[in-house]
Amino acid sequence: MGCANGKCCSRDSSTSDEDSGHHQRGIRPYKNKDGLTQRSLELVHVPSHNFTLQYSSLTQNGYYPDTTDRENQDSFCIKTQIQAITVLVVGDTLYVANVGDSRAVIAVKDGDRILAEDLSVDQTPFRKDEYDRVKLFGARVLSVDQVEGLKDPDIQHWGDEESHGGDPPRLWVPNGMYPGTAFTRSVGDSTAEKIGVIAVPEISIVRFTPSHLFFVVASDGVFEFLSSQTVVNMAAAYKDPNDACAAIAGDSYKRWLELENRTDDITIIIVQIKGLSNSGVGTTDSEVHSRPCQIGGSMNQSTAIVPPLMHQRPLESDMG
């Protein structure tokens, strides 16, 4: 989310009918293939409930003017701090575990509308519960403008993430100018851990119904400038999740370059739910826990694992 070493450009705060819940038409697939990796269409059958998951994924290297050969940090495993979101399907139940500010969202059919329902909540200092928790560990919470003396550091309110994400509040040690993270949970950051950046995931659980059309898992390279509803609208405009991934990545990349002088790495997975009927399917049962959750269930249930999405900070990669 933005950069810690300099002021970020302010995001476009204009509103449109993108978030109305009506999916868009006529969106063209992404044509820029530089630094792009896309998986072919995959199918996974879930025999216990007789439906199929059809999915595709795409990752696009970020554009950094000063380091044009920089590796993609969304899709490499490295020995350092990461943010990660994982999705697991067991029978007709979807489990989501999130650490950081990547996001999962599910599309829900509601009459003639398709609505976005978040399956994770970004873990950032914009959230009062996360802000209060890291303050107990001694973290200083300041935006880059506040650190640079351009704004009053005593004002501990930054509005909401949608309208003020261009210069978000960040975490700093009490007597230093690091680490400057814009998230409150991650895996493997021993420095940030001292000021309350923990690796405990928040868990959400949803039981599929026929009204659930597809779900999206994406890094903050997508959600930095696109709302959950906008992403769902775009994904719903395509029958093929390959084309949907490409369109969303292309629009994300374009908006980054319009609003900043770089782009983040962009990674997206779209999973369509095919053939789910009312037979044996109950109502939606969703809840979020801010502690580890033991996922139960018989081992003979059909299980589909969507590859975890990991968002790393730019340090050395380990491909071993």
Side-chain angles (χ1 to χ4, degrees):
M1 175 189 292
C3 49
N5 297 319
K7 285 195 299 180
C8 303
C9 299
S10 60
R11 70 175 64 212
D12 183 2
S13 60
S14 61
T15 57
S16 69
D17 60 0
E18 287 179 326
D19 294 350
S20 64
H22 296 274
H23 60 270
Q24 300 173 334
R25 300 290 182 186
I27 304 170
R28 299 181 64 83
Y30 189 29
K31 299 300 183 184
N32 179 9
K33 302 299 182 182
D34 293 338
L36 183 148
T37 302
Q38 186 163 14
R39 291 183 62 171
S40 59
L41 194 64
E42 303 277 354
L43 293 173
V44 177
H45 187 58
V46 184
S48 64
H49 290 75
N50 197 30
F51 69 94
T52 299
L53 300 176
Q54 176 176 275
Y55 67 94
S56 182
S57 63
L58 180 150
T59 186
Q60 167 70 57
N61 288 5
Y63 168 67
Y64 295 84
D66 297 330
T67 53
T68 55
D69 59 346
R70 179 175 175 270
E71 300 274 13
N72 187 310
Q73 303 299 306
D74 276 350
S75 56
F76 283 80
C77 294
I78 57 178
K79 295 177 180 178
T80 183
Q81 174 259 64
I82 65 172
Q83 301 163 70
I85 187 165
T86 302
V87 172
L88 172 68
V89 176
V90 181
D92 64 347
T93 303
L94 176 69
Y95 300 88
V96 179
N98 181 49
V99 174
D101 57 2
S102 295
R103 190 181 304 173
V105 57
I106 195 165
V108 182
K109 180 73 171 175
D110 181 22
D112 63 348
R113 302 186 301 166
I114 298 177
L115 302 179
E117 179 181 305
D118 286 333
L119 300 175
S120 62
V121 182
D122 298 354
Q123 295 153 352
T124 74
F126 281 109
R127 283 175 48 178
K128 186 178 185 305
D129 59 336
E130 290 292 281
Y131 169 87
D132 290 342
R133 185 178 57 76
V134 297
K135 290 293 286 185
L136 290 175
F137 283 83
R140 291 188 301 146
V141 184
L142 301 168
S143 68
V144 172
D145 274 353
Q146 289 175 311
V147 168
E148 294 181 346
L150 300 178
K151 290 184 179 179
D152 186 351
D154 293 329
I155 297 177
Q156 294 284 283
H157 179 70
W158 300 270
D160 62 83
E161 192 165 354
E162 291 297 321
S163 59
H164 292 80
D167 185 23
R170 297 177 179 275
L171 308 187
W172 313 87
V173 297
N175 298 302
M177 297 297 292
Y178 62 91
T181 59
F183 42 83
T184 55
R185 301 193 189 205
S186 68
V187 179
D189 192 329
S190 58
T191 298
E193 185 179 14
K194 298 173 183 176
I195 54 172
V197 179
I198 59 176
V200 179
E202 291 181 315
I203 309 294
S204 61
I205 304 170
V206 174
R207 191 175 184 192
F208 288 138
T209 74
S211 64
H212 292 133
L213 304 180
F214 58 86
F215 57 90
V216 179
V217 186
S219 68
D220 66 328
V222 170
F223 290 112
E224 180 76 3
F225 299 114
L226 297 178
S227 69
S228 296
Q229 187 63 59
T230 298
V231 169
V232 163
N233 291 347
M234 295 179 71
Y238 294 93
K239 291 183 178 180
D240 188 332
N242 274 315
D243 292 338
C245 285
I248 293 166
D251 197 39
S252 300
Y253 197 88
K254 177 183 175 182
R255 295 199 188 200
W256 272 96
L257 292 179
E258 288 174 347
L259 298 169
E260 299 199 14
N261 64 353
R262 67 177 187 95
T263 79
D264 201 350
D265 298 321
I266 293 167
T267 301
I268 182 168
I269 303 167
I270 296 177
V271 184
Q272 297 176 340
I273 306 163
K274 301 285 190 178
L276 187 65
S277 67
N278 281 303
S279 177
V281 178
T283 58
T284 301
D285 182 16
S286 305
E287 54 183 296
V288 178
H289 309 273
S290 56
R291 56 184 176 81
C293 178
Q294 180 72 32
I295 298 178
S298 171
M299 292 302 293
N300 62 5
Q301 294 188 70
S302 300
T303 302
I305 301 176
V306 176
L309 182 67
M310 296 184 292
H311 186 184
Q312 298 96 7
R313 297 178 69 186
L315 297 179
E316 285 189 19
S317 64
D318 177 17
M319 295 297 294

